[in-house]
Structures are given as C-alpha cells and as structure tokens.
Amino acid sequence: MQAHVSIILPVHNAEPWLDECLRSVSQQDFEGTMELSVFNDASKDKSGAIIEKWRVKLEDTGVHVIIGGHNSPSPRGVGYSKNQAVAQSSGSYLCFLDSDDVMMPQRVRLQHQAAVQHPSSVFTSNGPTVIMPTWFCSRAWFSHVGPFDEGGRGVPEDLLFFYEHLRKGGGVIRVDQSLLLYRYHPQAATHSVLEATIWTHRVRFLEEQALPRWAAFTIWNAGKQGRRLYRSLTAANRHKVVAFCDVDEKKIRKGFYCHEDSQERPKPRIPILHFRAARPPFIICVKLDLTGGAFEDNLRSLHLQEGQDFLHFS
C-alpha cells in the first residue's frame, strides 16, 4: 500500500546517533500512513544492525520500513543516498531526515498540513537554516526539481537542489515551531563542504538571478565581506558597483576602495560613502544578528523595500 509520507533517511556510520533518530520516527503523532526509507551508504560501524532492530519496532507501530544500501569500500555520498532512498519509497510526500538528528513528535503532522496547501513549496522549521535538514515537500515537486547532485564528498547537494527549486518557481514556507534537534559535531557531513565552495555557488546564483535586473548597485559594507563580494563578481558586475557604503567613520574617511588585484589600468577606485549618502539598490553584506537591531533600524529609516531596493547577502 502506498504511504502518505515517506521519511527519507540516508545513513553512513551513524551508530552514535541512530537510536535516538529512529526513536523520534516512532514517536511521530501523524495519523496518516507513514513509511521510513533508509539507504545505508557503505557504513562500516553497527548502523546496519541498529536499523534492523528498529525495523521490527517501527513496523509493529504501523510504520513500513524499506532498507536499501551497498557495501562498497567507499560511500557514494549524501546526494546519491538521498536519491536512492527517494527512489525506493512510495509516499506522496517526502520528509527529509539526517541520521544524526532528532524529530519532534509534531514534525510530520505540521509540515504535512502546510504542504497540502502549498504544493510547490519546500517546508522548513524555524531553524537552524533554510537549507537542509528540515525539508518537507511533495514527491511531485521533488520530481519536478530533482534529483540531488551525486558528486559526493565536498558537494553541497542541498544548496544546489535549493537553487534549482527557486529557478523553477518554488517557494519556501516556514512552520514557525521547533521541529528538529539538529546536531552539529565534528563528523557531520556538512564539514566536508568548503566554505569557499558555498561562497562561490552563492555568488554565481546572485549574479544569475538578481544582478541582471540592476544596471548599477551599492555594496553595503566597506569591510572584509563587502570587499570579498566585490572581488568575487565577474568583471561585468564589478563595473556595476558604483559605491560601498558603511557607518564606520574610519572607512568613510578613507574615501575609496582600490581593487589592487585588478588587471585594469588605472585600477578601479570605488567610493566609500556614509549609508545615508548612498543610493539604492543595495547588496547588503552585514550579519544582521551582530548589530543588535541597529542595522534594521537604519533600513527602516530609508524606507527600503526588500527585493526591489536591497538584497541581503551574508
């Protein structure tokens, strides 16, 4: 019988966390039919035995369990494992779960309620990130957007999928409750993805989706992050930067930023202005949570409209 919701669980050497993860599956208060689709990606620890133990417990509670996997010398990666787990599952909706995380009992119920009303959206909870690990979407929408990139270790398969989701007109809806305990630890797969790789993908997506509609723009932050963004842009988009702006008087007094690595002659010198003297649109490179609300007050004072007058990149 086809399940209503398939929980998609890739596993690789998850022995320390897997019992708690699978227990959280058994504690869901969702009243529809639910299955667990596990793909064991060449685990060398006791993950396989733990999965088999929980197969019996979960099926006793009415949760059908599908187990796939392989025993190759090396894992194929998270993207491959997720795709395999999706392929072997049957549910109309897909609930993605990492093997080191723990779901709150209401997770499947609340995200399913939201997904029924918004079929072309990905659903998250209120933290820690809009990207995995709290995605929930219809199988039909996943098939429209996917599959995940299977490049393996070092590839941000969730970010790449998310960008493709946005390209195809998908939305993001947050269920404003804590639905997951997210574990951040040294063995987490996220550590295999270099920060520089994430940065490069983000900049390219910004250039693809946002900057073509602006003939000129200002980078809000004359410090390290703002200058890094400027240097990361293509030459054509660097030429669109008319100024940096900031609140730091020392940076403003300097008057300009010189791109020393530029091959142009003379080297570009970009003005540095006080934010009230600058003109939108802005690319904002300020971490909002580090300003104690002061930055948001500055934005409101300028009556800026998000998406039209500014984009946040931090």
Side-chain angles (χ1 to χ4, degrees):
M1 182 175 115
Q2 180 181 0
H4 212 63
V5 174
S6 297
I7 297 173
I8 304 302
L9 182 64
V11 173
H12 174 67
N13 290 345
E15 180 183 348
W17 311 282
L18 201 46
D19 272 312
E20 282 188 85
C21 175
L22 294 172
R23 183 175 295 110
S24 76
V25 174
S26 72
Q27 294 172 342
Q28 292 301 297
D29 62 14
F30 178 62
E31 294 184 353
T33 55
M34 193 167 64
E35 69 180 12
L36 173 68
S37 179
V38 184
F39 190 83
N40 189 355
D41 187 21
S43 294
K44 300 299 187 282
D45 61 2
K46 296 179 181 177
S47 292
I50 296 171
I51 293 166
E52 288 295 340
K53 176 185 72 176
W54 276 98
R55 181 213 288 262
V56 176
K57 295 180 179 181
L58 288 167
E59 294 197 335
D60 283 346
T61 66
V63 178
H64 180 51
V65 179
I66 309 106
I67 302 172
H70 67 100
N71 294 312
S72 302
S74 300
R76 294 284 300 274
V78 180
Y80 175 80
S81 299
K82 288 175 183 173
N83 288 337
Q84 293 298 310
V86 170
Q88 70 189 18
S89 68
S90 68
S92 302
Y93 293 89
L94 306 175
C95 175
F96 291 92
L97 177 63
D98 290 348
S99 58
D100 50 0
D101 294 337
V102 177
M103 295 192 291
M104 301 300 105
Q106 69 273 23
R107 181 194 172 184
V108 171
R109 172 173 55 85
L110 293 179
Q111 288 190 308
H112 175 260
Q113 288 174 359
V116 168
Q117 299 177 31
H118 304 277
S120 62
S121 291
V122 161
F123 300 86
T124 72
S125 73
N126 67 350
T129 171
V130 74
I131 313 301
M132 290 287 189
T134 59
W135 282 5
F136 190 109
C137 66
S138 70
R139 176 181 296 274
W141 185 252
F142 176 85
S143 298
H144 178 63
V145 175
F148 289 104
D149 188 291
E150 297 187 358
R153 187 174 178 83
V155 174
E157 84 292 330
D158 53 351
L159 180 63
L160 297 178
F161 182 94
F162 185 65
Y163 284 164
E164 190 62 21
H165 161 77
L166 296 177
R167 287 186 187 102
K168 293 189 173 179
V172 181
I173 295 176
R174 188 176 79 173
V175 177
D176 200 17
Q177 293 190 38
S178 294
L179 300 182
L180 192 88
L181 171 64
Y182 174 73
R183 286 193 174 97
Y184 189 78
H185 56 85
Q187 289 77 45
T190 187
H191 295 299
S192 71
V193 182
L194 298 177
E195 188 275 337
T197 300
I198 298 290
W199 176 270
T200 298
H201 283 300
R202 292 179 64 215
V203 172
R204 296 290 85 84
F205 190 75
L206 173 74
E207 294 187 304
E208 171 197 322
Q209 295 292 312
L211 297 190
R213 69 176 186 259
W214 288 348
F217 61 93
T218 300
I219 295 178
W220 192 319
N221 185 351
K224 182 179 178 181
Q225 284 293 90
R227 297 194 304 269
R228 182 187 182 192
L229 174 59
Y230 173 83
R231 293 192 302 268
S232 300
L233 297 173
T234 61
N237 282 318
R238 285 199 299 271
H239 289 152
K240 293 183 180 182
V241 179
V242 294
F244 291 88
C245 71
D246 214 295
V247 296
D248 187 326
E249 292 295 339
K250 185 182 297 185
K251 294 172 186 165
I252 295 168
R253 280 197 301 271
K254 184 177 178 182
F256 65 89
Y257 164 69
C258 181
H259 184 207
E260 296 290 352
D261 295 333
S262 175
Q263 301 302 309
E264 295 182 46
R265 295 294 181 271
K267 295 180 186 294
R269 292 160 65 99
I270 312 301
I272 300 175
L273 309 174
H274 188 276
F275 77 90
R276 290 194 178 278
R279 292 291 177 264
F282 298 100
I283 300 292
I284 296 172
C285 294
V286 177
K287 291 189 179 296
L288 302 185
D289 56 346
L290 300 180
T291 66
F295 187 79
E296 292 91 329
D297 291 342
N298 289 338
L299 286 180
R300 281 192 289 270
S301 73
L302 295 177
H303 306 290
L304 299 176
Q305 299 295 314
E306 185 173 6
Q308 178 178 338
D309 297 319
F310 74 91
L311 292 171
H312 189 231
F313 188 90
S314 180

